[in-house]
Amino acid sequence: MDAERIVSQSLELLKEEGMAGVTFRKLTTSLHVTAPTIYWRFKDKRELLEAMAEAMLREEFGELAPMPPGQDWRPWLQEMLRRLRRAMLAYPDGARVVAGARPPNTPTLARIPEYGLRALEDGGLSLSQAATVIYTAVHYTFGHVIEEQDSAEAQPTEEFEQAYPTVARVMNEGRRVGLTTADVFDAGLSLIIGNQ
């Protein structure tokens, strides 16, 4: 059994049951193999999750390439991070899978900051400034999507509104004007990227 088939089945389990449903036991059952077949390809669950993260990112990014010369890095970076968000939202717990991956074992994940750092340096920022922007934006994207996936569209209760009236007003106003999670995400990215 090849690693690609194991990863593909793992992604199916992720779609059906979230990260808790991706177990070696369920994989052996669904693939009709014994545990050594899976352990021969993946020494542990973390290695499997990293292979899943790479597969998820490749679905959205394919072969990610550096920013073309002469482009403004701001819109390019915003679009790359929107794509990262889409890749993670495509699967339940997708943000947890990708955020937990180690870049040395997940090439597409490593390319995101690599190409981002290059683009910002080419745009005139120092490496230190570029690193601050890139890592803040990537970590913001991870956190935002984890919260999107963990939080249902909760309506503030009367008790909540009494205890936290300002937060409740913001929640209610956002719903009233049709503010989406994508709008909120873009607003946050603009704060990170806009002042550079």
Side-chain angles (χ1 to χ4, degrees), residues 146-165:
I146 286 171
E147 188 166 325
E148 277 186 85
Q149 292 184 317
D150 284 354
S151 302
E153 292 292 326
Q155 299 285 336
T157 64
E158 195 173 310
E159 295 82 21
F160 183 89
E161 288 183 355
Q162 288 174 357
Y164 309 100

Side-chain angles (χ1 to χ4, degrees), residues 2 17-18 20 37 49 56 61 75-76 95 97 108 116 122 129 145 183 192:
D2 64 9
E17 304 180 43
T37 303
L49 288 171
M56 291 165 56
F61 287 103
W76 177 85
V97 173
T108 303
D122 289 348
Q129 291 170 317
V145 179
D183 296 329
I192 295 166

